[in-house]
Amino acid sequence: MLTAVKNQTRITALSIKYALMREMLNKATFTSNVVFMVLNNASFIIQWVVLFSIRDNIGGYTLKQVLLLWGLAAMTYGVSRFFFAKAFSLSNIINNGKLDSFLVQPKNVLISAITTDVSPSALGDILYGYIILFIYGFSFGTFFLYTLFGILGGLIVTAISVILNSLSFWFQKTDVIAETGNNLMTNFATYPDGIFKGAVKLLLYTLVPVGIATYLPIQVLTEFNLVKLLIVLGFTIIIVLLAFLVFYKGLKRYSSSNLMIARI
Amino acid sequence: MKKYIFIFKSELMSNLQYTFNIFVGFIGYLIMLFILFNLYRYLYSDSSEIINGYTMNQMVWYVIFTEILWSVSGGRKFCSKISEDVRGGNIAYNINKPYSYIGYSLASHLGEMFIKAIVYTILAMIMGYLFLGMFPSLSILEILALILISFIAIVISSLLVICIGLLSFRIEDSSPIYWLYSKLILIFGTIFPIEYFPKAIQPILNYSPVYVTTYGPARLFVNFNLDTFLNILLFQLIYLILAYLLCALMYKKGVKNLNVNGG
Amino acid sequence: MPKEGRFMAIITVKNLSKTFKVKLKEKGLKGSIKSIFKPKYKVVRAVNNISFEVEKGEIIAFIGPNGAGKSTTIKMLTGILYPNKGEVNVLDINPVVNRKKLAYQIGTVFGQKEQLWTHLTPYDNFKFFGAIYDIPEAAVEKKIEEFNEVFELSEFINTPVRNLSLGQRIRCEIVASLIHEPKVLFLDEPTIGLDPVVKENIRTLIKRMNKEYKTTIFLTSHDVGDIEKLCKRVIIINDGKIVLDDSMENLKYHYLNKKIVEVKMREKVNLDNEEGITILKDKGYNLKIEVDITKKSVTDALKLLNPENIVDINISNIPLEDIISTIYKEGI
């Protein structure tokens, strides 16, 4: 069991490394992707400076906290899009029969399938996340927590995407639904939860778990709370397991490239 | 002109089969709108308050309108399509065809976006009414004027996106430039009006693409005024011509280099 | 447990079936809208109750026209697709239950799908595949060295795959699938799109593999040359059913009781209504006939033509390609 995990980790790391090498073949494009993504994220600082000129407190957040929120959202997004880029186009892989080559390998199909590609701009997101942390105030404690939450959040976002994309084992045209779902997560994650009320707030901690991926971590970063940390950790484990479950359940219905649409 | 209308029409017809995608895509729009609605409801302590010259209702309608313009210009995909054409060498095939590449791209893009524009507009108006319980007061004539302005706004956005896409002649991947452009449009003209920015930079914004592509039309929508209309129209025409000339120039130069390098 | 003998079945397939639901789409806008709300499906039986066995060390050709169910079968054997009915056993492993365990023992090459990283060299790719199969680094390096010699790769082993020719790529694909010394190798259209010289190379490689490593080979191909030159046994599948499972020799022999005779003559000869002779082409002085030698010997046929009268003659067997396409068309 332990060797299997070790071997799987080794091959996953190798796969990500090779994918990164492929992206770095063209250094100029690679660098501009990273740099422009940092600038792209930074442009939203303007938005919040303007909004905070109206009120000094929006939804219980100060400007600094909103920036941290943005930074963590970018980290989360970056971790998921960098390490598991293909999780966001998994339905294409499923529909076009591209799981075949992973199915004949003695490794975990889902992990292999989603780690064959990296997105260079996602590296810019991660970088931006750390820049924000330095602006917010660096300490080894926050650095560690921030990184941890970035990874956990990334796993949550990836798991949700895997679940949504896996729907294409059962239904058609689920790629648009998955894309919308993923955007929804990002959109909510970049606004303070204090502006939402009642049912919506409940939704954000359940069906659209932005609350757990982003809002709770910000609370823990502002004021350490072990229970909240454990909630985030526990939720991550559950949703990741759920993603595997849904994917493998669907895999039994996988039809390789035999799924054709016949026209009358 | 006739052939471009034909391209527009056939692209429109072939996109009818993606109606489902448009409806699902609208959910994304709705969420964005919902978040901004919550944000403004939070910022305005009561509905009579005026911030930077806008009431809350006006602010929400402003955002509804700019977000429609934003979604309907569908720039990200369009830009990467143009880039693909340039990098994949598709553009080389177009040189010998009896139509202009820019005209072709524009017509097919507008055709692709047409149904989306109608669906989004109708649904967004319903949503706005549900959120606020009122419509901005506009006469039929004013609505027609708005449609004209919005159409030109989308054409200008599309031309600007073509320009960015054509940058691929020089740099391998133009999408980073597009991100930055789109974020500037988003922040300086979509989320809130120009009046929200410091007085010092307002004049700059008034001459920027933001004025003719998002801010201008949306401002007319929430507060119609004949003078503003004529002013925006004038600026739009100037922008239209300049954007087209820029596209044509970039295309010409790019293709010329392509020939020298043998594609 | 049978000893590793000649008659040990390595692949057993019993009453295997696979159906697909295919979505039907009507034309036009109305059709698109209808298909969103009320999709219509048609059930297609891709594989219909087939059974066969493959023995250790065999090279077997699994052929059939497009859409006959070849790929579907191969995909069920390798654990890619779940069967609807029936049993599959490869090396005493059920692919459905133990996909990963089976994966260590088999190799696959799908001619139209690439498994290699194109920006890496074959050498790095082989090392990657070594890692996939948990082979220690030193062992992989040794293996690569060995393959380098046996399969003559040294010319391009350090060139990025994207710079290789199609033939070199396929060779590397095949070699990559051998890194873990699979006991069975599944090849789906390995020579598709290759020129004759490269095809020959690939065939040599496959033969060598079978000989040196005793690999059992399960091959699908549209190329009669592949089948004729590599395989001793053929299974023909059509419409999801096995229509023939026989040795290459029998297949040929069965149809070899017919000969094709092409002659060029000085004078016209009337062969209408002669028993055992079918006229394939009659262009006056040029004649092409098929002689059924169970009914008329070749000598008798030649006598009818009158040897004095013959300017030029060519007697040949029916090409395998024609035999196979007859089977496709008529069944057996």
Side-chain angles (χ1 to χ4, degrees), chain A residues 33-162:
Chain A
N33 266 288
V34 175
V35 171
F36 273 84
M37 190 42 85
V38 173
L39 291 176
N40 174 55
N41 288 336
S43 63
F44 280 98
I45 295 175
I46 303 168
Q47 177 195 351
W48 288 100
V49 169
V50 169
L51 286 171
F52 275 97
S53 68
I54 302 168
R55 296 251 180 289
D56 346 315
N57 177 316
I58 295 175
Y61 282 64
T62 60
L63 177 59
K64 243 173 132 183
Q65 278 173 318
V66 167
L67 288 187
L68 194 67
L69 181 75
W70 254 96
L72 189 63
M75 279 282 281
T76 303
Y77 189 94
V79 167
S80 64
R81 298 309 199 275
F82 182 75
F83 294 102
F84 313 110
K86 284 275 177 191
F88 299 87
S89 54
L90 193 59
S91 62
N92 283 334
I93 300 178
I94 294 167
N95 289 333
N96 299 332
K98 288 191 178 149
L99 285 177
D100 290 13
S101 43
F102 306 113
L103 276 160
V104 294
Q105 294 170 359
K107 288 283 166 284
N108 187 290
V109 182
L110 178 58
I111 298 177
S112 304
I114 64 178
T115 54
T116 50
D117 212 352
V118 299
S119 150
S121 61
L123 218 52
D125 286 312
I126 298 175
L127 192 64
Y128 175 78
Y130 281 118
I131 294 172
I132 290 294
L133 181 70
F134 277 92
I135 295 172
Y136 178 80
F138 176 88
S139 76
F140 285 104
T142 44
F143 180 80
F144 171 75
L145 276 178
Y146 193 71
T147 308
L148 177 70
F149 284 131
I151 294 168
L152 293 180
L155 288 173
I156 294 175
V157 173
T158 308
I160 290 172
S161 182
V162 167

Side-chain angles (χ1 to χ4, degrees), chain B residues 21-229:
Chain B
N21 300 17
I22 294 175
F23 278 96
V24 176
F26 184 77
I27 297 172
Y29 169 91
L30 193 61
I31 298 295
M32 200 58 227
L33 198 65
F34 177 77
I35 293 172
L36 291 172
F37 173 64
N38 275 282
L39 180 69
Y40 283 115
R41 207 171 46 179
Y42 185 91
L43 288 175
Y44 282 84
S45 43
D46 67 90
S47 55
S48 63
E49 193 184 348
I50 292 177
I51 298 176
N52 295 324
Y54 291 81
T55 65
M56 185 188 116
N57 284 352
Q58 278 180 323
M59 250 338 283
V60 175
W61 277 117
Y62 177 90
V63 174
I64 289 176
F65 203 82
T66 52
E67 289 278 346
I68 294 175
L69 288 173
W70 167 256
S71 310
V72 168
S73 38
R76 189 170 54 89
K77 271 193 192 144
F78 187 40
C79 183
S80 51
K81 201 179 133 226
I82 302 280
S83 281
E84 272 315 297
D85 277 352
V86 173
R87 281 188 291 173
N90 237 337
I91 214 157
Y93 293 108
N94 273 296
I95 296 171
N96 302 325
K97 299 230 171 103
Y99 50 67
S100 106
Y101 174 76
I102 294 158
Y104 170 83
S105 305
L106 189 65
S108 76
H109 180 64
L110 293 178
E112 201 184 321
M113 290 298 141
F114 190 76
I115 305 156
K116 194 176 174 185
I118 291 177
V119 171
Y120 270 48
T121 309
I122 293 171
L123 293 179
M125 290 303 138
I126 296 171
M127 285 302 147
Y129 190 80
L130 290 178
F131 282 157
L132 301 168
M134 55 78 77
F135 282 119
S137 58
L138 288 163
S139 69
I140 298 288
L141 221 61
E142 286 166 345
I143 290 174
L144 288 177
L146 260 173
I147 291 175
L148 174 73
I149 290 272
S150 308
F151 177 74
I152 302 174
I154 290 170
V155 173
I156 296 172
S157 308
S158 306
L159 283 172
L160 292 175
V161 171
I162 294 177
C163 283
I164 295 172
L166 289 177
L167 282 176
S168 300
F169 275 123
R170 308 237 151 217
I171 50 178
E172 184 169 346
D173 188 1
S174 64
S175 53
I177 311 278
Y178 174 74
W179 301 334
L180 211 60
Y181 161 81
S182 68
K183 286 298 128 59
L184 292 178
I185 295 281
L186 207 60
I187 285 160
F188 288 108
T190 306
I191 304 170
F192 21 66
I194 289 177
E195 287 88 346
Y196 269 61
F197 292 95
K199 287 250 155 28
I201 65 164
Q202 280 185 23
I204 306 171
L205 294 177
N206 270 323
Y207 288 106
S208 74
V210 165
Y211 182 70
V212 290
T213 57
T214 58
Y215 165 79
R219 190 183 155 73
L220 275 184
F221 179 65
V222 298
N223 187 5
F224 196 92
N225 172 312
L226 193 63
D227 284 344
T228 324
F229 167 72

Side-chain angles (χ1 to χ4, degrees), chain C residues 278-293:
Chain C
T278 324
I279 297 167
L280 299 174
K281 224 189 255 170
D282 186 356
K283 278 189 183 166
Y285 298 104
N286 292 316
L287 194 63
K288 187 175 179 185
I289 56 173
E290 188 184 275
V291 183
D292 187 341
I293 50 174

Side-chain angles (χ1 to χ4, degrees), chain A:
Chain A
M1 178 67 193
L2 207 64
T3 10
V5 172
K6 211 182 100 195
N7 286 332
Q8 178 74 55
T9 315
R10 183 171 153 225
I11 197 75
T12 306
L14 209 55
S15 186
I16 292 170
K17 182 183 134 192
Y18 285 162
L20 179 63
M21 275 164 64
R22 181 174 54 204
E23 292 303 327
M24 286 172 79
L25 282 179
N26 187 329
K27 295 236 163 43
T29 305
F30 179 82
T31 320
S32 73
N33 266 288
V34 175
V35 171
F36 273 84
M37 190 42 85
V38 173
L39 291 176
N40 174 55
N41 288 336
S43 63
F44 280 98
I45 295 175
I46 303 168
Q47 177 195 351
W48 288 100
V49 169
V50 169
L51 286 171
F52 275 97
S53 68
I54 302 168
R55 296 251 180 289
D56 346 315
N57 177 316
I58 295 175
Y61 282 64
T62 60
L63 177 59
K64 243 173 132 183
Q65 278 173 318
V66 167
L67 288 187
L68 194 67
L69 181 75
W70 254 96
L72 189 63
M75 279 282 281
T76 303
Y77 189 94
V79 167
S80 64
R81 298 309 199 275
F82 182 75
F83 294 102
F84 313 110
K86 284 275 177 191
F88 299 87
S89 54
L90 193 59
S91 62
N92 283 334
I93 300 178
I94 294 167
N95 289 333
N96 299 332
K98 288 191 178 149
L99 285 177
D100 290 13
S101 43
F102 306 113
L103 276 160
V104 294
Q105 294 170 359
K107 288 283 166 284
N108 187 290
V109 182
L110 178 58
I111 298 177
S112 304
I114 64 178
T115 54
T116 50
D117 212 352
V118 299
S119 150
S121 61
L123 218 52
D125 286 312
I126 298 175
L127 192 64
Y128 175 78
Y130 281 118
I131 294 172
I132 290 294
L133 181 70
F134 277 92
I135 295 172
Y136 178 80
F138 176 88
S139 76
F140 285 104
T142 44
F143 180 80
F144 171 75
L145 276 178
Y146 193 71
T147 308
L148 177 70
F149 284 131
I151 294 168
L152 293 180
L155 288 173
I156 294 175
V157 173
T158 308
I160 290 172
S161 182
V162 167
I163 293 169
L164 290 175
N165 276 286
S166 296
L167 291 179
S168 40
F169 283 122
W170 289 274
F171 311 105
Q172 304 223 323
K173 291 198 174 180
T174 48
D175 49 337
V176 232
I177 295 170
E179 200 190 319
T180 307
N182 290 325
N183 287 340
L184 206 138
M185 286 287 292
T186 321
N187 284 340
F188 274 111
T190 45
Y191 286 87
D193 52 335
I195 64 171
F196 306 110
K197 284 178 202 147
V200 183
K201 212 157 186 175
L202 185 72
L203 213 64
L204 292 180
Y205 283 89
T206 49
L207 214 57
V208 190
V210 182
I212 297 161
T214 330
Y215 300 148
L216 277 186
I218 292 295
Q219 290 168 26
V220 178
L221 283 166
T222 320
E223 195 186 340
F224 185 77
N225 182 322
L226 187 66
V227 179
K228 285 177 181 168
L229 175 68
L230 289 177
I231 291 174
V232 179
L233 192 65
F235 182 82
T236 311
I237 295 170
I238 290 168
I239 195 143
V240 168
L241 288 177
L242 189 68
F244 276 107
L245 190 77
V246 172
F247 179 82
Y248 273 91
K249 195 107 189 141
L251 197 58
K252 295 195 173 141
R253 302 173 55 97
Y254 177 57
S255 57
S256 185
S257 45
N258 293 67
L259 189 84
M260 323 155 261
I261 294 181
R263 279 178 187 271
I264 308 175

